[in-house]
Amino acid sequence: MAPPQFFISVFLVSSFLLPSVLGYNANNVKSWCSKTPNPQPCEYFLSQNPINTTIRDEPDFLKISMQLALERATSAQNDMYLLGPKCRNELEKAAWADCLQLYELTILLLNKTVDYSTNLSKDDTQTWLSTALTNLETCRTGFIELGVPDYILPMMSNNVSKLISNTLALNKATFKEPTYKDGFPTWVKPGDRKLLQTSSPASSANIVVAQDGSGNYKTIKDALSAASKRSGSGR
Ligand SMILES: *[C@@H]1O[C@H](CO)[C@@H](O)[C@H](O)[C@H]1NC(C)=O
Ligand SMILES: *[C@@H]1O[C@H](CO)[C@@H](O)[C@H](O)[C@H]1NC(C)=O
Ligand SMILES: *[C@@H]1O[C@H](CO)[C@@H](O)[C@H](O)[C@H]1NC(C)=O
Ligand SMILES: *[C@@H]1O[C@H](CO)[C@@H](O)[C@H](O)[C@H]1NC(C)=O
């Protein structure tokens, strides 16, 4: 776990470097935001400090929406940092530390989508954006599973997930139906298919997670952290 100062400096640096996307012509914003699944936060943030700048076209709007999501995620990460002292015990502190890392990862992913020098394909953009959204959900679930006190959840509520959902809808990557062979998508390798088809997958598994202690690890988190330290090229 990195020292807390690390997160503060990430926040300060990024908020200085980010060009603010807030401030567009109100009527223009209303009509563009109406094309998204969550028009309210879209309008709310884009029309702060209205100025006479118009959103040109759909690619321009997608870019602005992704920048807005990045901007709000950066601000939410700072709010998340401030929650630390409110954690009542070690478990909550652990959930909070996970959230900080998940937010950091989310910001990196969103940054990838707004960085036009990388020239991401629509499909890649869709992948990064949905991963970013999943991270935020994981953070929330972590706290809910611990039976988080009522005063914490409102403090965690921000509009970031809604804003990312908007960018996913605007990006409109076409979903390709996978082709199947023997009941598995063709990208599943024969060896993996055999593993998934065995009647006792636990006997061929590298790691078994079981809450009752009968496996190698009690939590998925511990197993993942152990897996990340393994060498070799296995899946
Ligand atoms: C996004 O990435 C660029 C470099 O590609 C970096 O300079 C910038 O600080 C990053 N912004 C955030 C918010 O992480
Ligand atoms: C989220 O967006 C709504 C508008 O849809 C706004 O009223 C609210 O203040 C926003 N919440 C935060 C934490 O920014
Ligand atoms: C806003 O800009 C448009 C075109 O750039 C211009 O026609 C219009 O008069 C401007 N409105 C105001 C209030 O400055
Ligand atoms: C970005 O990639 C697309 C295809 O993947 C290509 O047609 C386009 O020319 C590329 N643009 C730049 C600026 O490299």
Side-chain angles (χ1 to χ4, degrees):
M1 187 57 223
Q5 296 89 315
F6 175 68
F7 294 105
I8 294 181
S9 56
V10 164
F11 170 71
L12 291 178
V13 168
S14 52
S15 53
F16 283 124
L17 293 179
L18 271 181
S20 180
V21 296
L22 307 182
Y24 282 91
N25 176 294
N27 287 332
N28 186 224
V29 160
K30 206 174 169 65
S31 86
W32 280 105
C33 289
S34 70
K35 298 178 202 296
T36 67
N38 302 292
Q40 292 89 2
C42 170
E43 273 181 43
Y44 176 79
F45 290 111
L46 287 182
S47 57
Q48 281 178 10
N49 320 310
I51 47 169
N52 195 13
T53 306
T54 50
I55 298 165
R56 290 190 309 271
D57 49 20
E58 217 168 281
D60 191 32
F61 184 48
L62 173 60
K63 190 173 157 193
I64 289 165
S65 302
M66 293 195 298
Q67 272 168 353
L68 174 61
L70 174 60
E71 200 167 289
R72 296 319 304 166
T74 309
S75 152
Q77 184 192 35
N78 187 49
D79 295 343
M80 183 60 62
Y81 173 74
L82 299 173
L83 272 185
K86 302 215 160 34
C87 293
R88 297 166 305 178
N89 51 48
E90 288 308 306
L91 279 177
E92 282 180 14
K93 269 231 142 53
W96 168 74
D98 282 351
C99 275
L100 278 183
Q101 289 190 345
L102 288 163
Y103 264 85
E104 199 187 327
L105 205 59
T106 296
I107 288 166
L108 283 177
L109 291 167
L110 291 173
N111 200 358
K112 254 190 217 284
T113 65
V114 299
D115 181 0
Y116 273 62
S117 65
T118 57
N119 194 18
L120 284 181
S121 70
K122 268 188 183 298
D123 285 347
D124 284 346
T125 301
Q126 203 77 357
T127 304
W128 298 132
L129 291 173
S130 28
T131 310
L133 195 57
T134 308
N135 283 344
L136 299 188
E137 201 41 50
T138 306
C139 156
R140 209 178 157 75
T141 311
F143 267 101
I144 291 172
E145 278 175 358
L146 289 175
V148 73
D150 287 344
Y151 62 84
I152 293 243
L153 281 181
M155 294 167 78
M156 286 174 62
S157 82
N158 48 58
N159 289 294
V160 181
S161 296
K162 285 182 180 160
L163 294 171
I164 298 177
S165 299
N166 282 356
T167 63
L168 274 165
L170 293 168
N171 186 52
K172 293 192 204 119
T174 45
F175 174 69
K176 289 188 224 65
E177 195 67 52
T179 46
Y180 288 88
K181 183 170 180 277
D182 300 337
F184 287 90
T186 45
W187 52 262
V188 177
K189 296 199 184 83
D192 293 337
R193 194 165 64 228
K194 285 209 187 76
L195 173 63
L196 292 166
Q197 281 170 328
T198 75
S199 51
S200 56
S203 62
S204 357
N206 299 106
I207 287 177
V208 175
V209 178
Q211 208 168 21
D212 65 7
S214 64
N216 307 86
Y217 297 96
K218 285 188 182 172
T219 65
I220 294 176
K221 185 166 169 267
D222 289 347
L224 284 178
S225 128
S228 68
K229 294 190 185 95
R230 288 187 164 211
S231 55
S233 57
R235 287 180 53 155

